[in-house]
């Protein structure tokens, strides 16, 4: 392999690792936010955009 091909393959590998890390971070954060919302809704806190719970 030439030095250039090694450089290109390393760049693609680093990019793939970074993208996989970002996707994983987003999925973990999404689960945490859904859990937070479920806890808030279970405690009686409602969203301001929820029009059905008007007294």
């Amino acid at each position: 392999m030439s030095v250039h091909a090694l450089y290109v393959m390393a760049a693609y590998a680093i990019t793939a690792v970074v993208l996989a890390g970002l996707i994983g971070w987003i999925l973990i954060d999404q689960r945490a936010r859904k859990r937070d919302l479920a806890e808030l809704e279970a405690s009686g806190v409602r969203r301001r955009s929820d029009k059905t719970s008007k007294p």
Side-chain angles (χ1 to χ4, degrees):
M1 285 180 108
S2 70
V3 177
H4 179 70
L6 187 61
Y7 171 79
V8 170
M9 287 178 58
Y12 276 115
I14 291 169
T15 301
V17 168
V18 168
L19 284 175
L22 287 172
I23 289 170
W25 180 17
I26 288 169
L27 293 175
I28 290 169
D29 190 53
Q30 177 189 21
R31 288 181 190 157
R33 298 297 74 83
K34 283 185 177 182
R35 192 177 327 115
D36 291 344
L37 281 174
E39 289 174 6
L40 285 171
E41 288 181 357
S43 69
V45 176
R46 297 289 174 226
R47 298 178 189 174
R48 286 184 286 180
S49 63
D50 188 11
K51 305 289 185 191
T52 59
S53 65
K54 279 190 171 181

